[in-house]
Amino acid sequence: MKNPNIVILGAGYGGIITAVKLQKSLGVNEANVTLVNKHSYHYQTTWLHENAAGTLHHDHTRIPIKDVINTSKINFVQDTVTEIKPSEKRVMLENGDLMYDYLVIGLGYEAATFGIPGLKEHAFTIGSINSARLIRQHIEYNFAKYNNEADKKEERLNLVVGGAGFTGIEFVGELANRVPQLCREYDIPREKVRIINVEAAPSALPGFDPELVEYAMNSLEGRGVEFKIGAMIKEVTENKLVFEKDEQREEIPTNTVVWAAGVRGNSLVEQAGFESNRGRTPVSDDLRPAGHDDVFIVGDCALLINEETERPYPPTAQIAIQMAEQTADNLTKLVKGDKHLEPFTPDLKGTVASLGHKDAIGVVFNDKKLFGWSASAMKKVIDNRYLLKLGGPGLVLKKGKLNFFQ
Amino acid sequence: MKNPNIVILGAGYGGIITAVKLQKSLGVNEANVTLVNKHSYHYQTTWLHENAAGTLHHDHTRIPIKDVINTSKINFVQDTVTEIKPSEKRVMLENGDLMYDYLVIGLGYEAATFGIPGLKEHAFTIGSINSARLIRQHIEYNFAKYNNEADKKEERLNLVVGGAGFTGIEFVGELANRVPQLCREYDIPREKVRIINVEAAPSALPGFDPELVEYAMNSLEGRGVEFKIGAMIKEVTENKLVFEKDEQREEIPTNTVVWAAGVRGNSLVEQAGFESNRGRTPVSDDLRPAGHDDVFIVGDCALLINEETERPYPPTAQIAIQMAEQTADNLTKLVKGDKHLEPFTPDLKGTVASLGHKDAIGVVFNDKKLFGWSASAMKKVIDNRYLLKLGGPGLVLKKGKLNFFQ
């Protein structure tokens, strides 16, 4: 009997953890495991907002795949997936194709722009190392231009973030730290620069405890962030954003709109013919879509209902990592001939949102609320535990957030 | 008798050294000395190419005026000169005007674009802290954009420098050091990036010893600089440069053209009615224009013929500093009632052109040629001696180039 081919698509949280666990649980004589990824590196999506603001260098956020994958055990193919063909058990790449016996889809998210005119064309999204450093450079370039032009264009200094959810709030927190540095660098008075957060829902951080939301907004407003809550973005152009609030239209002159208000699963998943809702495919509790026993979906492309809340589990790193661990266990069973798969049982440890380097809010350990330094420290502990899982203590020392007291 | 008003326009090499010397040689009861400058800082024009390339931060290049001027002895007015009215002995500023008894004009250079179509609109010039950091950011932004765009635009990675004179050569030397860093930062293969120097004259570094020119070109070509010598720039647009060489036209796709091939004196000087040639006013050997005994011109706006070579002294920092020292001495005499002024006698110590951090060429001490590390070290010695003159040992420690062995 030939060794089964296991193909893992994507080296985000879901894909890379699946691969790292499989390289421990399966021998090279048991299966051929191949990890496919567009870049030669894995990156921590949850840190990209810091790279985009310019408060953390992107080399801190990315990790060469070969640093955590033993390529004598796992094949690594650097290529871009163009199509998944489940009926042929085949994946098409830009420069080749791969046959699989088992497929793990960990292709992550895309921005969902909900048809808002101009958003797709003119707004930035924080989706990758490349897009994050472009945002950083775009902001800096506009500060440099503003400083140097005779006819000062205020749209260069109005930084607008669409969405006050988790990512939007974390990003404005970093911007609030970054802007004073940029003002010093480019000799621009701080009061000329606006950081504006536009949120359609009636509250920032929908779903968070109101006390934490208030703490977060106070912290951010204290550092100069303006909130437009209950404000629907109507249009984005090259140099303005239009929103409507209380039936009034308002325009903000800006050439920097960062859209952090909606994500969807990867389009390749729906193009492959899997049932899906915005690129998220309903999966059974062993993370397989109905009718596809050879396919596992982990992370943002998987749609699984939390029975307690009757809502889907959110597309977070925490869930993706746990899905990946379960999938690696189940694949190991299948390869070893055990058809009895274990269900995915998430262990929700809480959520901490950073508000910039020294501040954060969160809920951990069954509804314990955290604020300020303790929340910020907890956030770093969570990040470091992930690195420990991914690459051991060496990786924590190399890429960890060890600046607890700075 | 009232104390005479001495007004110094510009805090470049000429203006600031005049002010620093006067604050030592004249008491507050002898004259009112006022220094006018657009910015709150002096900067070293000869280092700007490093700021523009991104190899040196501009804060290293600029020095707060209040760090070297004692404002209990010298008035400092931060404003922009809009007009000089010699007949009224008055200087108009954007936000006021000043009467003078003696005027020192140290207004520096502007780019001369010789009517080449598109050059003024689309090329950058290295003229100030603001314009230098804009060039740095422009280059970085284009690297970031190139990395992130699906349809890669090669004009983003072709860096064209117009002119292989002193400044042009020093700038491509810095770019040759900077580009590999940028390639690492933005994941771009080095071979995709071109650094192209276009020079109309039949040789690079016209006027330099041919052996030094050859050394310089070899050093730069070895680090990937392409030279187009004897090539006339015909046109610059938003995304290309056209030149003609050997009666052939050639186009380079580029959105980064830095013009380093021509300077002229400040236009305000000719607008004031002084006789002038490209903004440089002929001055007698005591640096006063004919018919204006109350005006001294130092630095790039002064046109003085070197009788040995029968050519004008070049607009260099070295000459500007020596002119300023002589002018401060002569003003001191005038204020103290001595009408017998001393002539300016330049002491040419040589010239060293940097080719990047570790390399340089130069001629010093009566035609001694220098290459490589020794020339590079000499360049730093010259820079540090200037700082010593300007602000004493403390300033050398703070802003000096002390990295001889790195």
Side-chain angles (χ1 to χ4, degrees):
Chain A
M1 209 184 89
K2 86 169 182 56
N3 287 342
N5 286 321
I6 300 176
V7 174
I8 304 168
L9 304 183
Y13 291 106
I16 196 112
I17 289 290
T18 306
V20 164
K21 278 217 85 174
L22 285 180
Q23 92 184 348
K24 287 176 194 153
S25 62
L26 285 178
V28 282
N29 299 324
E30 293 176 292
N32 300 316
V33 182
T34 303
L35 174 66
V36 180
N37 196 53
K38 198 193 292 194
H39 306 110
S40 61
Y41 50 82
H42 162 72
Y43 54 83
Q44 299 220 57
T45 310
T46 58
W47 294 8
L48 288 176
H49 64 285
E50 300 174 54
N51 308 147
T55 45
L56 181 76
H57 192 272
H58 55 260
D59 281 341
H60 215 83
T61 296
R62 61 178 164 179
I63 296 157
I65 286 171
K66 295 192 175 170
D67 283 5
V68 289
I69 295 295
N70 179 344
T71 47
S72 66
K73 290 188 176 167
I74 308 252
N75 307 305
F76 172 60
V77 174
Q78 188 182 339
D79 207 336
T80 301
V81 180
T82 56
E83 198 184 346
I84 302 167
K85 296 182 170 173
S87 60
E88 299 178 26
K89 296 169 92 66
R90 185 191 295 273
V91 175
M92 310 303 293
L93 309 178
E94 253 173 33
N95 307 300
D97 55 309
L98 295 170
M99 298 296 293
Y100 64 79
D101 296 299
Y102 297 110
L103 182 69
V104 180
I105 299 178
L107 288 171
Y109 68 94
E110 292 175 1
T113 53
F114 307 118
I116 298 172
L119 197 56
K120 202 171 170 188
E121 297 76 13
H122 301 295
F124 294 90
T125 52
I126 304 175
S128 64
I129 293 284
N130 292 344
S131 64
R133 71 184 152 192
L134 177 59
I135 293 170
R136 179 194 73 190
Q137 281 308 316
H138 174 83
I139 293 171
E140 277 214 51
Y141 187 54
N142 276 288
F143 274 63
K145 282 258 205 188
Y146 180 89
N147 168 287
N148 207 54
E149 68 197 355
D151 177 22
K152 308 267 181 225
K153 298 197 181 68
E154 64 170 318
E155 69 256 34
R156 299 195 190 282
L157 303 187
N158 290 340
L159 311 177
V160 183
V161 178
F166 201 89
T167 307
I169 288 294
E170 288 203 316
F171 183 52
V172 294
E174 295 301 318
L175 283 180
N177 283 6
R178 177 65 174 146
V179 161
Q181 297 169 357
L182 284 172
C183 286
R184 277 194 298 278
E185 176 74 11
Y186 295 98
D187 295 331
I188 291 172
R190 171 63 186 88
E191 63 273 16
K192 299 266 184 204
V193 183
R194 295 172 68 191
I195 304 170
I196 306 157
N197 188 291
V198 182
E199 169 60 53
S203 155
L205 288 168
F208 265 69
D209 180 284
E211 194 187 358
L212 295 176
V213 175
E214 201 189 324
Y215 178 93
M217 286 182 74
N218 281 340
S219 164
L220 293 169
E221 285 176 337
R223 283 181 285 150
V225 175
E226 302 169 46
F227 284 96
K228 310 281 183 190
I229 301 294
M232 292 284 293
I233 297 177
K234 291 293 175 186
E235 192 191 355
V236 180
T237 73
E238 222 174 311
N239 50 28
K240 69 169 190 292
L241 174 138
V242 184
F243 68 87
E244 195 174 294
K245 182 180 153 91
D246 304 331
E247 294 177 14
Q248 297 284 316
R249 283 206 168 215
E250 214 177 297
E251 272 188 29
I252 304 171
T254 179
N255 62 12
T256 307
V257 176
V258 177
W259 178 244
V263 296
R264 45 161 292 147
N266 194 302
S267 326
L268 289 170
V269 173
E270 54 200 81
Q271 287 159 22
F274 298 115
E275 185 195 339
S276 70
N277 181 1
R278 296 186 190 281
R280 302 187 76 190
T281 295
V283 289
S284 61
D285 62 4
D286 58 16
L287 305 175
R288 292 186 289 187
H292 293 277
D293 275 0
D294 51 356
V295 176
F296 294 82
I297 305 185
V298 295
D300 306 344
C301 298
L303 184 67
L304 186 68
I305 302 295
N306 179 342
E307 289 180 3
E308 262 181 57
T309 62
E310 293 182 344
R311 301 186 55 190
Y313 286 108
T316 64
Q318 186 181 182
I319 297 285
I321 293 161
Q322 293 179 8
M323 285 177 162
E325 294 178 309
Q326 191 60 58
T327 296
D329 286 350
N330 283 336
L331 278 168
T332 305
K333 282 175 179 258
L334 286 172
V335 169
K336 294 186 191 284
D338 177 356
K339 301 277 178 198
H340 176 72
L341 303 192
E342 294 289 334
F344 168 62
T345 47
D347 172 19
L348 298 176
K349 293 180 202 306
T351 309
V352 184
S354 159
L355 306 172
H357 174 43
K358 287 181 200 134
D359 205 357
I361 53 166
V363 181
V364 290
F365 311 130
N366 298 319
D367 299 336
K368 178 170 167 44
K369 290 183 212 169
L370 291 180
F371 302 87
W373 185 82
S374 60
S376 172
M378 179 60 74
K379 180 97 182 167
K380 288 170 188 164
V381 168
I382 294 169
D383 286 337
N384 293 341
R385 285 181 56 187
Y386 169 67
L387 290 171
L388 188 67
K389 183 172 285 183
L390 181 63
L395 192 61
V396 178
L397 288 174
K398 211 151 120 189
K399 304 276 183 175
K401 294 203 168 167
L402 306 168
N403 52 343
F404 288 93
F405 297 102
Q406 274 163 30
Chain B
M1 208 184 90
K2 86 169 180 60
N3 287 344
N5 286 321
I6 299 176
V7 174
I8 303 168
L9 304 183
Y13 292 106
I16 196 108
I17 290 290
T18 305
V20 164
K21 278 216 85 174
L22 285 180
Q23 94 185 346
K24 287 176 195 155
S25 60
L26 285 179
V28 281
N29 299 325
E30 292 176 293
N32 300 315
V33 182
T34 303
L35 175 65
V36 180
N37 196 53
K38 198 192 295 193
H39 306 110
S40 62
Y41 49 84
H42 162 71
Y43 55 83
Q44 299 220 57
T45 311
T46 57
W47 294 7
L48 288 176
H49 64 285
E50 299 173 57
N51 309 147
T55 45
L56 182 77
H57 192 272
H58 54 260
D59 281 342
H60 215 83
T61 297
R62 61 178 166 180
I63 296 157
I65 286 171
K66 296 193 173 167
D67 283 5
V68 290
I69 294 295
N70 179 342
T71 48
S72 65
K73 290 187 174 168
I74 307 251
N75 308 305
F76 172 60
V77 174
Q78 188 181 338
D79 208 336
T80 301
V81 180
T82 57
E83 198 183 349
I84 302 167
K85 295 182 171 173
S87 60
E88 299 178 25
K89 294 168 94 65
R90 185 191 295 272
V91 175
M92 311 303 293
L93 308 177
E94 254 174 33
N95 306 302
D97 57 309
L98 294 170
M99 298 296 295
Y100 63 79
D101 296 298
Y102 297 109
L103 183 68
V104 180
I105 300 177
L107 288 172
Y109 69 93
E110 292 175 0
T113 51
F114 307 118
I116 297 172
L119 197 55
K120 202 170 170 188
E121 297 77 13
H122 302 294
F124 294 91
T125 52
I126 304 174
S128 65
I129 293 284
N130 293 344
S131 65
R133 70 184 152 194
L134 178 59
I135 294 170
R136 179 195 72 192
Q137 280 308 317
H138 174 82
I139 293 171
E140 276 215 51
Y141 187 55
N142 277 287
F143 275 62
K145 283 257 205 189
Y146 180 88
N147 170 285
N148 207 53
E149 68 198 355
D151 177 21
K152 308 266 180 224
K153 297 198 181 68
E154 63 169 320
E155 67 257 34
R156 299 196 189 282
L157 303 187
N158 290 339
L159 310 177
V160 183
V161 177
F166 201 88
T167 307
I169 287 295
E170 288 203 317
F171 184 52
V172 295
E174 294 302 317
L175 283 180
N177 284 7
R178 178 65 174 147
V179 160
Q181 297 169 356
L182 283 172
C183 286
R184 276 194 298 277
E185 175 73 12
Y186 295 99
D187 296 329
I188 291 172
R190 170 65 186 88
E191 64 273 15
K192 298 267 184 202
V193 183
R194 294 172 68 192
I195 305 170
I196 306 158
N197 187 292
V198 181
E199 168 61 52
S203 156
L205 289 168
F208 264 69
D209 180 285
E211 194 188 357
L212 294 176
V213 175
E214 202 189 324
Y215 178 92
M217 287 182 74
N218 281 340
S219 165
L220 294 169
E221 286 176 337
R223 282 181 285 150
V225 174
E226 301 169 46
F227 284 97
K228 310 281 183 189
I229 300 294
M232 292 284 293
I233 297 177
K234 290 293 175 185
E235 193 192 354
V236 179
T237 73
E238 222 175 310
N239 50 28
K240 69 170 188 296
L241 174 139
V242 184
F243 69 86
E244 195 173 296
K245 182 179 153 89
D246 303 332
E247 295 178 13
Q248 298 283 317
R249 281 202 169 218
E250 216 178 294
E251 273 188 29
I252 304 171
T254 179
N255 63 13
T256 308
V257 176
V258 177
W259 178 243
V263 296
R264 43 161 294 144
N266 194 301
S267 324
L268 290 170
V269 172
E270 53 200 79
Q271 287 160 21
F274 298 115
E275 184 194 339
S276 70
N277 180 359
R278 296 187 190 282
R280 302 186 76 191
T281 294
V283 289
S284 61
D285 62 5
D286 57 18
L287 305 174
R288 293 186 288 186
H292 295 276
D293 275 0
D294 52 356
V295 176
F296 293 80
I297 305 184
V298 296
D300 305 344
C301 298
L303 184 67
L304 186 68
I305 301 296
N306 179 342
E307 289 180 2
E308 263 180 57
T309 61
E310 294 182 342
R311 301 188 55 190
Y313 286 109
T316 64
Q318 185 181 182
I319 297 284
I321 293 161
Q322 293 179 10
M323 285 177 164
E325 293 177 309
Q326 190 60 61
T327 296
D329 286 350
N330 283 336
L331 278 168
T332 305
K333 281 174 180 262
L334 286 173
V335 168
K336 293 186 192 283
D338 179 354
K339 300 278 178 199
H340 177 73
L341 304 193
E342 294 287 335
F344 167 63
T345 46
D347 172 19
L348 300 177
K349 294 182 202 303
T351 310
V352 184
S354 159
L355 305 172
H357 174 44
K358 286 181 199 135
D359 205 357
I361 52 166
V363 181
V364 291
F365 312 132
N366 298 319
D367 298 336
K368 178 170 167 40
K369 290 182 211 170
L370 291 179
F371 302 87
W373 185 82
S374 60
S376 172
M378 179 61 74
K379 179 96 182 169
K380 289 170 187 163
V381 168
I382 294 168
D383 286 336
N384 293 339
R385 285 181 58 187
Y386 169 68
L387 290 171
L388 187 67
K389 183 172 283 182
L390 181 64
L395 191 61
V396 177
L397 287 174
K398 209 151 119 190
K399 305 276 183 176
K401 293 201 170 171
L402 306 169
N403 53 343
F404 289 93
F405 297 101
Q406 276 163 29

